[in-house]
Amino acid sequence: MNKDRMISNFIEMVKIHSPSLGEKEYSDYLIEILKKLGLEIYLDEGYKVYGGTAPTIFAKLKGQTTGEGITLAAHTDVVEPSKNTNPLIDGDIIKTDGTTTLGGDDKAGIASIIEVLRTIIEENIEHEDIYLILTPCEENGMLGSKNINWDNVPKHMIPAKDVIVIDNSGKAGLIAHTAPSRYNFKIIFKGRKAHAGIEPEKGINAIQLASIAISTMKMGRIDELTTSNLGSIESMFPSNVVADLCVVTGEIRGHSIDTILETLDIYEKCCSVATNSFGGEYSFEKICDFPTLKPLDDLKFANKFAKIYEDLGVTTKLQIIGGGSDSNIFAEKGYNSIIVGVGMENVHTVNESLDTRELIKTTEAIIKYIKKI
């Protein structure tokens, strides 16, 4: 592999503005590179459903040997503020001037993928089919992966079931294999409006109903693998009006769907008790934002990749993580994902940095894995 070329490519990419819903310029840039490398490309137009600007890029480098192949995945959007990124090199560390995010999440992953492809092609390394899935809008609720029209993907472009997602924060050697599902909930409390100073007795305060219900809900860590959090409480009324509407939103995430649903049932009972005791009404909405990610092969794939790292002298750690990613969405389609680190630190902040030594290690590991399968 050409380390300097990969780092130079990364720096070039982070200068291209590609926020969620605005990845077109960067997507066009990547499509051109992949075409020059000789990959076959299919562009999914799911972005039209949610008002985006860039497709999910499916690409394939046909192999010379038979087998299931391997899929490499990353996302093309970055967290704001990211316009006019000024990358600064400090030894092995790349960071910004502190006014923007760096975009290592996930352009470091894409830099790794491009260098893997270039190295495989230039060194004439025999390999099985290599597939790519590069998604837009991952940072905005995984909208890109959620809206892929899988029925339209050409059969020969359907990616291999084992997926290396190059999108884990932290060092090389970190291999995430399990992640929780997340359910969002929305509770609408309805009371009765009245003048707060003249006849408050005629009113039922929806904010008070919400407060009573929330006070009896267990929040934070529910158990070892389940968490809950409130995101907003909205009720905009002047102080001289008994508020008749209050909207509460939150989330529960966990590795057991049964536990998530049981907790949501308990929350709904809290709402019922509050409204039955003081009057008023409520409605309770819940929706699965993304499913769980679990290994489909008893960690065989994760351990196989860990062995590659260890052969390179990289300490490994298999991880159960608390966040969601495209891997969760792919899991519903039967994909078996691992999420590997490339040296990203302090992601989603203007203090974000990338340790290029870790980027190099993971890129070397992917190349070695492809040689062995």
Side-chain angles (χ1 to χ4, degrees), residues 56-58 71-75 132-136 138 142-148 150 159-167 290-294 296 324-339:
T56 290
I57 302 170
F58 288 81
T71 299
L72 307 178
H75 62 86
L132 307 187
I133 309 178
L134 305 179
T135 60
E138 190 268 356
M142 288 88 79
L143 290 176
S145 56
K146 284 179 179 176
N147 287 283
I148 292 171
W150 289 96
K161 292 300 183 183
D162 282 346
V163 185
I164 303 173
V165 181
I166 306 97
D167 187 27
F290 50 80
T292 55
L293 168 66
K294 294 182 179 179
L296 304 179
S325 71
D326 283 336
S327 299
N328 295 66
I329 308 304
F330 298 151
E332 279 194 313
K333 295 294 179 181
Y335 286 92
N336 188 41
S337 298
I338 57 173
I339 313 167

Side-chain angles (χ1 to χ4, degrees), residues 185-187 189 210 214 229-235 246-251:
F185 62 86
K186 178 180 180 181
I187 314 168
F189 292 92
I214 290 169
N229 186 54
L230 290 179
S232 67
I233 302 174
E234 297 182 13
S235 187
C246 183
V247 180
V248 177
T249 65
E251 68 159 50

Side-chain angles (χ1 to χ4, degrees), residues 102-291:
L102 177 62
D105 179 12
D106 193 23
K107 290 177 179 177
I110 294 178
S112 177
I113 289 172
I114 292 173
E115 188 56 36
V116 166
L117 293 171
R118 284 172 169 162
T119 302
I120 294 291
I121 293 168
E122 290 171 357
E123 296 186 7
N124 294 315
I125 296 170
E126 287 196 352
H127 59 87
E128 297 178 9
D129 291 340
I130 301 172
Y131 299 87
L132 307 187
I133 309 178
L134 305 179
T135 60
C137 245
E138 190 268 356
E139 301 288 9
N140 193 4
M142 288 88 79
L143 290 176
S145 56
K146 284 179 179 176
N147 287 283
I148 292 171
N149 189 334
W150 289 96
D151 291 338
N152 286 351
V153 180
K155 187 175 180 180
H156 70 286
M157 294 292 289
I158 296 291
K161 292 300 183 183
D162 282 346
V163 185
I164 303 173
V165 181
I166 306 97
D167 187 27
N168 200 357
S169 59
K171 294 182 177 181
L174 296 177
I175 305 172
H177 55 79
T178 300
S181 173
R182 183 173 78 183
Y183 273 69
N184 294 329
F185 62 86
K186 178 180 180 181
I187 314 168
I188 300 176
F189 292 92
K190 293 182 179 180
R192 186 166 59 241
K193 194 177 294 184
H195 193 291
I198 299 174
E199 45 187 8
E201 299 86 356
K202 292 184 178 181
I204 299 175
N205 194 303
I207 301 173
Q208 186 177 25
L209 292 177
S211 300
I212 293 167
I214 290 169
S215 69
T216 57
M217 296 177 182
K218 183 179 180 181
M219 290 285 164
R221 184 161 298 283
I222 306 300
D223 59 31
E224 185 180 0
L225 296 176
T226 313
T227 61
S228 175
N229 186 54
L230 290 179
S232 67
I233 302 174
E234 297 182 13
S235 187
M236 300 297 292
F237 289 86
S239 61
N240 65 345
V241 175
V242 175
D244 67 344
L245 183 68
C246 183
V247 180
V248 177
T249 65
E251 68 159 50
I252 301 178
R253 62 178 73 198
H255 297 273
S256 167
I257 299 299
D258 288 342
T259 301
I260 292 174
L261 294 177
E262 288 170 7
T263 305
L264 287 168
D265 284 344
I266 292 171
Y267 285 2
E268 186 161 5
K269 288 177 183 176
C270 294
C271 299
S272 179
V273 169
T275 53
N276 286 339
S277 300
F278 295 91
E281 302 174 355
Y282 77 92
S283 63
F284 196 105
E285 301 174 17
K286 57 192 174 188
I287 185 169
C288 180
D289 191 35
F290 50 80

Side-chain angles (χ1 to χ4, degrees), residues 1 3 6 112 116 305 308-309 312 314 357-371:
M1 61 178 289
K3 301 172 185 178
M6 177 170 60
S112 177
V116 166
F305 200 81
I308 296 292
Y309 269 134
L312 293 171
V314 178
R357 294 167 296 187
E358 306 303 317
L359 173 63
I360 290 165
K361 290 173 186 175
T362 285
T363 305
E364 289 176 336
I366 295 171
I367 293 168
K368 187 170 182 178
Y369 181 85
I370 290 172
K371 286 180 179 180

